[in-house]
Amino acid sequence: MLSQQEMSDRWEIQDLVFHYAQIIDDKSFDDLRNIFTSDAHVDYSVFGGSVGDLETTIAYLKEAVAEGVFPNSQHLNANVQVSVDGDTGKGRVMCFNPMEMAMPDGGTQVFMLGLWYVDEYRRTDAGWRISRRVEEKSWVFNVPDFMGL
């Protein structure tokens, strides 16, 4: 059975991950400094993004928006599986984002982008932060009409 502290830590980490998703959706990338540790390692390479430190990642995301290649994201779900060991933790996060893509006939089609992350967390003076995020895989699939997207 989990202790009260372990339950509290898991809730705080889950909130951290949802806050991350909101920052990405809002494209307020400078706020990622409140989510990650300053020495964080971020790897978005599976999706064609950056591998490196937090500042490199923020610059990459800003450039992607400026170049028009950043998808309009709206996270539909983020499921966190977390284990905590004192002041460190590990987790797996699954996110889904609908993406509207241009089709050869001139129309558009909505697809779902799925992302699977593996995170490491560290307790800091400011609370839990992500110290390492690795994008394990990504995939795109058709969205059924009944979803209304």
Side-chain angles (χ1 to χ4, degrees):
M1 187 166 157
L2 296 176
S3 71
Q4 187 64 36
Q5 182 63 52
E6 288 172 312
M7 290 293 289
S8 177
D9 289 340
R10 287 178 180 219
W11 280 110
E12 186 176 341
I13 290 170
Q14 176 126 354
D15 187 57
L16 177 72
V17 171
F18 283 119
H19 191 187
Y20 164 86
Q22 188 63 52
I23 287 170
I24 296 297
D25 290 347
D26 292 344
K27 299 177 183 62
S28 54
F29 305 125
D30 288 323
D31 292 340
L32 290 174
R33 292 182 186 97
N34 299 321
I35 299 299
F36 288 91
T37 60
S38 59
D39 63 345
H41 172 84
V42 186
D43 180 350
Y44 292 144
S45 62
V46 174
F47 191 53
S50 70
V51 178
D53 63 23
L54 179 58
E55 296 306 317
T56 300
T57 299
I58 290 171
Y60 162 76
L61 293 170
K62 287 180 176 180
E63 184 175 337
V65 167
E67 297 293 325
V69 296
F70 192 84
N72 285 328
S73 61
Q74 182 61 49
H75 288 74
L76 296 181
N77 185 34
N79 181 26
V80 183
Q81 301 167 344
V82 177
S83 63
V84 176
D85 184 13
D87 290 337
T88 62
K90 292 185 179 180
R92 294 174 69 86
V93 181
M94 187 179 297
C95 299
F96 296 100
N97 300 291
M99 295 176 48
E100 190 171 25
M101 301 175 78
M103 302 306 288
D105 65 3
T108 59
Q109 171 72 45
V110 176
F111 292 89
M112 191 67 75
L113 169 65
L115 300 166
W116 188 253
Y117 297 110
V118 177
D119 285 346
E120 293 177 12
Y121 309 101
R122 190 168 65 227
R123 190 189 321 263
T124 69
D125 290 341
W128 285 96
R129 296 292 183 259
I130 301 170
S131 59
R132 181 176 175 85
R133 169 160 278 204
V134 175
E135 188 175 308
E136 193 171 65
K137 69 178 180 176
S138 61
W139 63 99
V140 176
F141 53 95
N142 289 332
V143 176
D145 289 12
F146 66 83
M147 288 189 72
L149 298 174

mmCIF file of all heavy atoms in Angstrom, residues 86-121:
data_model
loop_
_atom_site.group_PDB
_atom_site.id
_atom_site.type_symbol
_atom_site.label_atom_id
_atom_site.label_comp_id
_atom_site.label_asym_id
_atom_site.label_seq_id
_atom_site.Cartn_x
_atom_site.Cartn_y
_atom_site.Cartn_z
ATOM 1 N N GLY A 86 11.986 8.021 -3.071
ATOM 2 C CA GLY A 86 12.568 9.169 -2.369
ATOM 3 C C GLY A 86 12.390 10.447 -3.161
ATOM 4 O O GLY A 86 11.273 10.888 -3.406
ATOM 5 N N ASP A 87 13.507 11.041 -3.584
ATOM 6 C CA ASP A 87 13.467 12.315 -4.309
ATOM 7 C C ASP A 87 13.584 12.147 -5.818
ATOM 8 O O ASP A 87 13.826 13.116 -6.538
ATOM 9 C CB ASP A 87 14.581 13.237 -3.813
ATOM 10 C CG ASP A 87 14.311 13.743 -2.402
ATOM 11 O OD1 ASP A 87 13.130 13.747 -1.993
ATOM 12 O OD2 ASP A 87 15.279 14.120 -1.713
ATOM 13 N N THR A 88 13.449 10.913 -6.309
ATOM 14 C CA THR A 88 13.469 10.674 -7.743
ATOM 15 C C THR A 88 12.264 9.821 -8.126
ATOM 16 O O THR A 88 11.659 9.159 -7.281
ATOM 17 C CB THR A 88 14.758 9.957 -8.191
ATOM 18 O OG1 THR A 88 14.829 8.680 -7.557
ATOM 19 C CG2 THR A 88 15.992 10.778 -7.873
ATOM 20 N N GLY A 89 11.922 9.872 -9.390
ATOM 21 C CA GLY A 89 10.814 9.065 -9.873
ATOM 22 C C GLY A 89 10.978 8.780 -11.352
ATOM 23 O O GLY A 89 11.818 9.389 -12.030
ATOM 24 N N LYS A 90 10.195 7.831 -11.829
ATOM 25 C CA LYS A 90 10.171 7.488 -13.244
ATOM 26 C C LYS A 90 8.722 7.363 -13.665
ATOM 27 O O LYS A 90 7.853 7.003 -12.859
ATOM 28 C CB LYS A 90 10.906 6.170 -13.495
ATOM 29 C CG LYS A 90 12.384 6.260 -13.261
ATOM 30 C CD LYS A 90 13.094 4.991 -13.628
ATOM 31 C CE LYS A 90 14.589 5.179 -13.389
ATOM 32 N NZ LYS A 90 15.355 3.998 -13.730
ATOM 33 N N GLY A 91 8.466 7.650 -14.926
ATOM 34 C CA GLY A 91 7.094 7.561 -15.414
ATOM 35 C C GLY A 91 7.025 7.338 -16.904
ATOM 36 O O GLY A 91 8.005 7.545 -17.628
ATOM 37 N N ARG A 92 5.869 6.888 -17.335
ATOM 38 C CA ARG A 92 5.567 6.741 -18.766
ATOM 39 C C ARG A 92 4.324 7.577 -19.037
ATOM 40 O O ARG A 92 3.362 7.526 -18.277
ATOM 41 C CB ARG A 92 5.334 5.284 -19.117
ATOM 42 C CG ARG A 92 6.580 4.440 -18.955
ATOM 43 C CD ARG A 92 6.303 2.974 -19.158
ATOM 44 N NE ARG A 92 5.986 2.660 -20.540
ATOM 45 C CZ ARG A 92 6.889 2.393 -21.485
ATOM 46 N NH1 ARG A 92 8.170 2.417 -21.188
ATOM 47 N NH2 ARG A 92 6.523 2.107 -22.705
ATOM 48 N N VAL A 93 4.358 8.333 -20.113
ATOM 49 C CA VAL A 93 3.289 9.271 -20.448
ATOM 50 C C VAL A 93 2.836 9.010 -21.877
ATOM 51 O O VAL A 93 3.662 8.932 -22.783
ATOM 52 C CB VAL A 93 3.780 10.736 -20.330
ATOM 53 C CG1 VAL A 93 2.659 11.701 -20.651
ATOM 54 C CG2 VAL A 93 4.362 11.003 -18.954
ATOM 55 N N MET A 94 1.532 8.880 -22.076
ATOM 56 C CA MET A 94 0.977 8.719 -23.416
ATOM 57 C C MET A 94 0.104 9.935 -23.707
ATOM 58 O O MET A 94 -0.767 10.279 -22.915
ATOM 59 C CB MET A 94 0.140 7.442 -23.512
ATOM 60 C CG MET A 94 -0.311 7.140 -24.920
ATOM 61 S SD MET A 94 -1.273 5.609 -25.026
ATOM 62 C CE MET A 94 -0.054 4.415 -24.521
ATOM 63 N N CYS A 95 0.368 10.597 -24.826
ATOM 64 C CA CYS A 95 -0.397 11.780 -25.226
ATOM 65 C C CYS A 95 -0.985 11.562 -26.616
ATOM 66 O O CYS A 95 -0.354 10.926 -27.463
ATOM 67 C CB CYS A 95 0.493 13.014 -25.265
ATOM 68 S SG CYS A 95 1.230 13.451 -23.694
ATOM 69 N N PHE A 96 -2.162 12.113 -26.838
ATOM 70 C CA PHE A 96 -2.813 12.059 -28.145
ATOM 71 C C PHE A 96 -3.159 13.471 -28.577
ATOM 72 O O PHE A 96 -3.687 14.250 -27.792
ATOM 73 C CB PHE A 96 -4.084 11.217 -28.092
ATOM 74 C CG PHE A 96 -3.830 9.783 -27.773
ATOM 75 C CD1 PHE A 96 -4.016 9.306 -26.492
ATOM 76 C CD2 PHE A 96 -3.404 8.912 -28.758
ATOM 77 C CE1 PHE A 96 -3.781 7.982 -26.190
ATOM 78 C CE2 PHE A 96 -3.160 7.580 -28.463
ATOM 79 C CZ PHE A 96 -3.351 7.110 -27.177
ATOM 80 N N ASN A 97 -2.863 13.798 -29.812
ATOM 81 C CA ASN A 97 -3.153 15.114 -30.363
ATOM 82 C C ASN A 97 -3.807 14.968 -31.731
ATOM 83 O O ASN A 97 -3.243 14.312 -32.599
ATOM 84 C CB ASN A 97 -1.865 15.921 -30.560
ATOM 85 C CG ASN A 97 -1.117 16.136 -29.293
ATOM 86 O OD1 ASN A 97 -1.572 16.859 -28.430
ATOM 87 N ND2 ASN A 97 0.031 15.496 -29.151
ATOM 88 N N PRO A 98 -4.982 15.580 -31.951
ATOM 89 C CA PRO A 98 -5.552 15.562 -33.298
ATOM 90 C C PRO A 98 -4.773 16.516 -34.206
ATOM 91 O O PRO A 98 -4.362 17.586 -33.785
ATOM 92 C CB PRO A 98 -6.985 16.047 -33.085
ATOM 93 C CG PRO A 98 -6.951 16.824 -31.820
ATOM 94 C CD PRO A 98 -5.841 16.266 -30.998
ATOM 95 N N MET A 99 -4.532 16.085 -35.432
ATOM 96 C CA MET A 99 -3.816 16.907 -36.405
ATOM 97 C C MET A 99 -4.598 16.916 -37.705
ATOM 98 O O MET A 99 -4.985 15.862 -38.209
ATOM 99 C CB MET A 99 -2.427 16.326 -36.681
ATOM 100 C CG MET A 99 -1.490 16.342 -35.518
ATOM 101 S SD MET A 99 0.093 15.531 -35.886
ATOM 102 C CE MET A 99 0.547 16.251 -37.440
ATOM 103 N N GLU A 100 -4.839 18.107 -38.229
ATOM 104 C CA GLU A 100 -5.511 18.230 -39.525
ATOM 105 C C GLU A 100 -4.434 18.316 -40.599
ATOM 106 O O GLU A 100 -3.556 19.174 -40.544
ATOM 107 C CB GLU A 100 -6.395 19.466 -39.555
ATOM 108 C CG GLU A 100 -7.286 19.522 -40.762
ATOM 109 C CD GLU A 100 -8.309 20.641 -40.673
ATOM 110 O OE1 GLU A 100 -8.044 21.622 -39.965
ATOM 111 O OE2 GLU A 100 -9.350 20.531 -41.326
ATOM 112 N N MET A 101 -4.504 17.403 -41.566
ATOM 113 C CA MET A 101 -3.473 17.345 -42.603
ATOM 114 C C MET A 101 -4.100 17.542 -43.974
ATOM 115 O O MET A 101 -5.208 17.066 -44.239
ATOM 116 C CB MET A 101 -2.749 16.002 -42.535
ATOM 117 C CG MET A 101 -2.077 15.747 -41.187
ATOM 118 S SD MET A 101 -1.357 14.105 -41.053
ATOM 119 C CE MET A 101 0.138 14.340 -41.987
ATOM 120 N N ALA A 102 -3.374 18.253 -44.841
ATOM 121 C CA ALA A 102 -3.835 18.476 -46.216
ATOM 122 C C ALA A 102 -3.750 17.163 -47.001
ATOM 123 O O ALA A 102 -2.805 16.402 -46.851
ATOM 124 C CB ALA A 102 -2.980 19.539 -46.886
ATOM 125 N N MET A 103 -4.754 16.929 -47.820
ATOM 126 C CA MET A 103 -4.810 15.722 -48.640
ATOM 127 C C MET A 103 -4.564 16.095 -50.106
ATOM 128 O O MET A 103 -4.764 17.240 -50.504
ATOM 129 C CB MET A 103 -6.175 15.045 -48.484
ATOM 130 C CG MET A 103 -6.508 14.661 -47.043
ATOM 131 S SD MET A 103 -5.256 13.640 -46.262
ATOM 132 C CE MET A 103 -5.495 12.105 -47.118
ATOM 133 N N PRO A 104 -4.135 15.130 -50.930
ATOM 134 C CA PRO A 104 -3.838 15.420 -52.339
ATOM 135 C C PRO A 104 -5.020 15.995 -53.117
ATOM 136 O O PRO A 104 -4.832 16.750 -54.071
ATOM 137 C CB PRO A 104 -3.432 14.050 -52.906
ATOM 138 C CG PRO A 104 -2.983 13.260 -51.731
ATOM 139 C CD PRO A 104 -3.800 13.752 -50.572
ATOM 140 N N ASP A 105 -6.261 15.668 -52.735
ATOM 141 C CA ASP A 105 -7.430 16.174 -53.454
ATOM 142 C C ASP A 105 -7.791 17.606 -53.071
ATOM 143 O O ASP A 105 -8.793 18.149 -53.525
ATOM 144 C CB ASP A 105 -8.630 15.250 -53.237
ATOM 145 C CG ASP A 105 -9.119 15.214 -51.786
ATOM 146 O OD1 ASP A 105 -8.555 15.956 -50.939
ATOM 147 O OD2 ASP A 105 -10.058 14.455 -51.507
ATOM 148 N N GLY A 106 -6.985 18.224 -52.212
ATOM 149 C CA GLY A 106 -7.239 19.603 -51.798
ATOM 150 C C GLY A 106 -8.023 19.707 -50.503
ATOM 151 O O GLY A 106 -8.105 20.777 -49.916
ATOM 152 N N GLY A 107 -8.600 18.626 -50.032
ATOM 153 C CA GLY A 107 -9.320 18.621 -48.761
ATOM 154 C C GLY A 107 -8.379 18.385 -47.595
ATOM 155 O O GLY A 107 -7.151 18.425 -47.738
ATOM 156 N N THR A 108 -8.954 18.171 -46.442
ATOM 157 C CA THR A 108 -8.157 17.873 -45.257
ATOM 158 C C THR A 108 -8.708 16.627 -44.579
ATOM 159 O O THR A 108 -9.865 16.258 -44.775
ATOM 160 C CB THR A 108 -8.180 19.041 -44.250
ATOM 161 O OG1 THR A 108 -9.513 19.298 -43.849
ATOM 162 C CG2 THR A 108 -7.555 20.291 -44.830
ATOM 163 N N GLN A 109 -7.883 16.000 -43.794
ATOM 164 C CA GLN A 109 -8.265 14.817 -43.029
ATOM 165 C C GLN A 109 -7.679 14.964 -41.632
ATOM 166 O O GLN A 109 -6.546 15.425 -41.484
ATOM 167 C CB GLN A 109 -7.706 13.557 -43.699
ATOM 168 C CG GLN A 109 -7.855 12.289 -42.897
ATOM 169 C CD GLN A 109 -9.290 11.801 -42.831
ATOM 170 O OE1 GLN A 109 -9.976 11.789 -43.836
ATOM 171 N NE2 GLN A 109 -9.743 11.427 -41.658
ATOM 172 N N VAL A 110 -8.451 14.595 -40.625
ATOM 173 C CA VAL A 110 -7.947 14.643 -39.259
ATOM 174 C C VAL A 110 -7.338 13.286 -38.911
ATOM 175 O O VAL A 110 -7.955 12.245 -39.102
ATOM 176 C CB VAL A 110 -9.067 14.999 -38.256
ATOM 177 C CG1 VAL A 110 -8.541 14.948 -36.826
ATOM 178 C CG2 VAL A 110 -9.623 16.384 -38.551
ATOM 179 N N PHE A 111 -6.114 13.341 -38.449
ATOM 180 C CA PHE A 111 -5.404 12.164 -37.967
ATOM 181 C C PHE A 111 -5.085 12.370 -36.500
ATOM 182 O O PHE A 111 -5.110 13.496 -35.997
ATOM 183 C CB PHE A 111 -4.099 11.956 -38.744
ATOM 184 C CG PHE A 111 -4.308 11.573 -40.171
ATOM 185 C CD1 PHE A 111 -4.432 12.542 -41.156
ATOM 186 C CD2 PHE A 111 -4.395 10.242 -40.541
ATOM 187 C CE1 PHE A 111 -4.624 12.202 -42.477
ATOM 188 C CE2 PHE A 111 -4.593 9.876 -41.868
ATOM 189 C CZ PHE A 111 -4.710 10.860 -42.838
ATOM 190 N N MET A 112 -4.771 11.308 -35.809
ATOM 191 C CA MET A 112 -4.385 11.403 -34.410
ATOM 192 C C MET A 112 -2.895 11.097 -34.304
ATOM 193 O O MET A 112 -2.423 10.085 -34.836
ATOM 194 C CB MET A 112 -5.181 10.400 -33.576
ATOM 195 C CG MET A 112 -5.046 10.614 -32.092
ATOM 196 S SD MET A 112 -5.796 12.146 -31.530
ATOM 197 C CE MET A 112 -7.526 11.736 -31.601
ATOM 198 N N LEU A 113 -2.171 11.999 -33.665
ATOM 199 C CA LEU A 113 -0.763 11.787 -33.381
ATOM 200 C C LEU A 113 -0.656 11.231 -31.970
ATOM 201 O O LEU A 113 -1.164 11.830 -31.021
ATOM 202 C CB LEU A 113 0.002 13.110 -33.493
ATOM 203 C CG LEU A 113 1.440 13.121 -32.972
ATOM 204 C CD1 LEU A 113 2.319 12.201 -33.806
ATOM 205 C CD2 LEU A 113 1.983 14.544 -32.965
ATOM 206 N N GLY A 114 -0.047 10.095 -31.829
ATOM 207 C CA GLY A 114 0.186 9.506 -30.522
ATOM 208 C C GLY A 114 1.658 9.599 -30.163
ATOM 209 O O GLY A 114 2.528 9.406 -31.016
ATOM 210 N N LEU A 115 1.940 9.944 -28.926
ATOM 211 C CA LEU A 115 3.318 10.075 -28.451
ATOM 212 C C LEU A 115 3.470 9.292 -27.157
ATOM 213 O O LEU A 115 2.598 9.352 -26.285
ATOM 214 C CB LEU A 115 3.662 11.546 -28.191
ATOM 215 C CG LEU A 115 3.559 12.481 -29.380
ATOM 216 C CD1 LEU A 115 3.578 13.926 -28.926
ATOM 217 C CD2 LEU A 115 4.683 12.216 -30.354
ATOM 218 N N TRP A 116 4.558 8.574 -27.029
ATOM 219 C CA TRP A 116 4.844 7.807 -25.825
ATOM 220 C C TRP A 116 6.177 8.295 -25.279
ATOM 221 O O TRP A 116 7.194 8.212 -25.953
ATOM 222 C CB TRP A 116 4.916 6.321 -26.162
ATOM 223 C CG TRP A 116 5.015 5.427 -24.988
ATOM 224 C CD1 TRP A 116 6.119 4.745 -24.596
ATOM 225 C CD2 TRP A 116 3.984 5.084 -24.064
ATOM 226 N NE1 TRP A 116 5.833 4.007 -23.474
ATOM 227 C CE2 TRP A 116 4.533 4.192 -23.129
ATOM 228 C CE3 TRP A 116 2.640 5.450 -23.929
ATOM 229 C CZ2 TRP A 116 3.796 3.655 -22.074
ATOM 230 C CZ3 TRP A 116 1.909 4.919 -22.889
ATOM 231 C CH2 TRP A 116 2.482 4.028 -21.980
ATOM 232 N N TYR A 117 6.164 8.873 -24.069
ATOM 233 C CA TYR A 117 7.361 9.410 -23.438
ATOM 234 C C TYR A 117 7.769 8.551 -22.245
ATOM 235 O O TYR A 117 6.917 7.983 -21.562
ATOM 236 C CB TYR A 117 7.116 10.818 -22.892
ATOM 237 C CG TYR A 117 6.789 11.859 -23.922
ATOM 238 C CD1 TYR A 117 5.505 12.396 -23.993
ATOM 239 C CD2 TYR A 117 7.753 12.329 -24.802
ATOM 240 C CE1 TYR A 117 5.192 13.365 -24.929
ATOM 241 C CE2 TYR A 117 7.447 13.303 -25.735
ATOM 242 C CZ TYR A 117 6.162 13.822 -25.795
ATOM 243 O OH TYR A 117 5.860 14.783 -26.712
ATOM 244 N N VAL A 118 9.053 8.513 -21.974
ATOM 245 C CA VAL A 118 9.585 7.950 -20.740
ATOM 246 C C VAL A 118 10.262 9.107 -20.012
ATOM 247 O O VAL A 118 11.143 9.772 -20.576
ATOM 248 C CB VAL A 118 10.597 6.817 -21.025
ATOM 249 C CG1 VAL A 118 11.187 6.297 -19.727
ATOM 250 C CG2 VAL A 118 9.920 5.695 -21.803
ATOM 251 N N ASP A 119 9.815 9.363 -18.792
ATOM 252 C CA ASP A 119 10.298 10.502 -18.014
ATOM 253 C C ASP A 119 11.056 10.052 -16.779
ATOM 254 O O ASP A 119 10.780 8.999 -16.209
ATOM 255 C CB ASP A 119 9.126 11.357 -17.516
ATOM 256 C CG ASP A 119 8.486 12.200 -18.591
ATOM 257 O OD1 ASP A 119 9.070 12.354 -19.682
ATOM 258 O OD2 ASP A 119 7.384 12.721 -18.328
ATOM 259 N N GLU A 120 11.985 10.911 -16.355
ATOM 260 C CA GLU A 120 12.593 10.814 -15.033
ATOM 261 C C GLU A 120 12.273 12.117 -14.320
ATOM 262 O O GLU A 120 12.292 13.190 -14.937
ATOM 263 C CB GLU A 120 14.101 10.601 -15.137
ATOM 264 C CG GLU A 120 14.460 9.252 -15.738
ATOM 265 C CD GLU A 120 15.960 9.050 -15.910
ATOM 266 O OE1 GLU A 120 16.756 9.849 -15.366
ATOM 267 O OE2 GLU A 120 16.316 8.090 -16.601
ATOM 268 N N TYR A 121 11.951 12.029 -13.036
ATOM 269 C CA TYR A 121 11.553 13.181 -12.238
ATOM 270 C C TYR A 121 12.510 13.344 -11.074
ATOM 271 O O TYR A 121 13.079 12.377 -10.580
ATOM 272 C CB TYR A 121 10.132 13.000 -11.696
ATOM 273 C CG TYR A 121 9.130 12.618 -12.754
ATOM 274 C CD1 TYR A 121 8.699 11.302 -12.899
ATOM 275 C CD2 TYR A 121 8.630 13.571 -13.632
ATOM 276 C CE1 TYR A 121 7.788 10.946 -13.866
ATOM 277 C CE2 TYR A 121 7.720 13.224 -14.617
ATOM 278 C CZ TYR A 121 7.303 11.910 -14.731
ATOM 279 O OH TYR A 121 6.411 11.559 -15.701
#
